[in-house]
Amino acid sequence: MPAPSTTEAARRNRNLCAIGGGVLLVAVLALLPGVASPYTLTMILPVFAYAIALLGLNLLFGTSGLLSFGHALFLAIGAYAAAVMTGHWGVKSLELVLLGGIAAAVVVAIPVGFLSVRYTRIFFGMLTLSFGMLFHSFLIKFYNVTGGDTGMSVKRVRLLGLDLSHLSRVEFQTGPLYYYALVLVIAATLLMWRIVQSPFGLHLRAQRDNARKAEYLGVRVHAFRLAAFVLSAAYGAVAGVLLAVRSGNADPELAYWTHSGELVFMTVLGGFASFVGPLVGAFAFIFLRDWLMGMTEFWRLAMGGILVLVVIFVPRGLAGLAADATTRLRNQFDLRSRR
Amino acid sequence: MTSALIEVKSASRTFGSFTALAPIDLAISSGEFVAIVGPNGAGKTTLVNLLTGLLRPSTGSVTFKGQDVSRLGPVRLARMGMARGFQLVTVFPELTVAETIAVAAFSRLGRAHHWFSSAHSDGDINGRVARVADAFGLTDRLEQPARLLAQGEKKLLDVASAFALEPEVILLDEPTSGVSTADKHAIMQTLVIASEKMGVKAVVLIEHDMDLVATYAGRIVGLHAGRVIADRPKNDFFTDAEVVAMVVGRPPKGFH
Ligand SMILES: Nc1ncnc2c1ncn2[C@@H]1O[C@H](COP(=O)(O)OP(=O)(O)O)[C@@H](O)[C@H]1O
Ligand SMILES: [Mg+2]
């Protein structure tokens, strides 16, 4: 059968390109601490955190067709779990804090997801938004537990059992924590890649395209949506832990709806169709915001304008733009080599 | 205990004050090829929706293998051996033809919850996808996203994916609409052959083309304005001119 074998070859080719590109990207990021300023490096740390959150959000939006406007809820849960564990319980290991954050997010995501995934589109968005706002008010109102407006502090953690308290804040963030987060990004990306390519991922895409038809083909629409929701919440919690460990603080703004909006902004900016989209979106957002904040006090207005332009002119995001460009290049190359 | 796969006991369906389907009794058994015929608006789709649990009956009950279909729900019905196609084209626009068929094949083999294996390199699944695609002439379309298919091909894909569940009963709502007459016969041939190959025990088919119905169906249920006007073996159906005239939408002879 010649037809399947050529497509098989094309798929393998595409995978090789993706792996090559990924290795190159990782190499650049790994070498960055040697050349970039500490200021830039401390900004890349949140890029890594957000990239992980966006991978989870992409599973919901890109793969499952569910756009959450309350996903910051799970970043906040990760951050507050870090604060409680390091502050109140004396936990020192970041690995344990990550597991604790994930566990807390899963416990919350199961009931929230159970109620939300019965709906799609704007109804799903509104429900998730409401749950996010609910949690935000909880953080503000129960200030004797949560510290209210000021939030809670997060103590310095050990990485893989290593006590790094002798390092300064900047040394910690631009050295060990930077690489720790980079490894987490790589692991989170590979894991998500497997999940999206799996039969589970296929059924998620089927229900996204046509839920009724999918049901009659035996797709367990609600159960799988819930599983995707819980997984993306776990990714959000990992991001929240990293953000809180970096800033040394968990504050209620993390759960505020504008933070959820920023996650959606980053998703749109990077594009939700590929696995580099999250990294690109997070990177573009954070550096763009930093640049605009230094230029004008109307930076929010400028960000809004840019979002409008991206939606109209680059609907598949910056990563989609790059993918189109490489496809065009490859096609040209193929044509030339065939001649 | 009966041998019927699907059993309808005085089930009816109303929408507000409008009766789309008056109470009807129907039993569909293993080995039957049943055509549901009638003019537009007769209630054919409503009947199939009742049979597949998509609509709840307003009165009465519908059971599949003795269990209430609306309580079972689509996923369990699929697992128990019921599959259906839809009248309006329903595909997964962004999934390829191979992926669409694979969706059903993964359900059938109970492998949908595998999170870490690759959906593209499961040998059993790929074998099934290739067989089904071959049976429906979709082999050179395997890697095409469904949204790029021609209308007739989309319809075929809808039917093919239902077959990929390897069901015992399959219900199809006008699978040949929007297809040329020559292709209609090809599709029906495919249906019959695929049903035999894949062990489908009963076929329920809504079809407007009386030529096709006369050629392939064994039993015909004629609907008119929400009522069953005939439920007979094919030969007894077509000898009754009045019934035929009503189901093709013309008033019976001598009516005016
Ligand atoms: N969801 C609905 N709400 C209101 N009326 C409906 C609905 N579905 C079908 N009907 C009406 O019921 C009648 C039968 O429809 P249908 O079963 O689709 O007919 P057929 O498939 O035979 O053309 C039609 O008059 C249609 O307008
Ligand atoms: Mg109809």
Side-chain angles (χ1 to χ4, degrees), chain B residues 244-255:
Chain B
V244 172
M246 276 179 89
V247 299
V248 297
R250 285 188 300 268
K253 277 183 204 124
F255 197 76

Side-chain angles (χ1 to χ4, degrees), chain B residues 40 44-46 87 173-174 206:
Chain B
N40 278 329
K44 306 181 296 295
T45 297
T46 302
Q87 176 173 4
D173 195 347
E174 302 190 21
I206 297 179

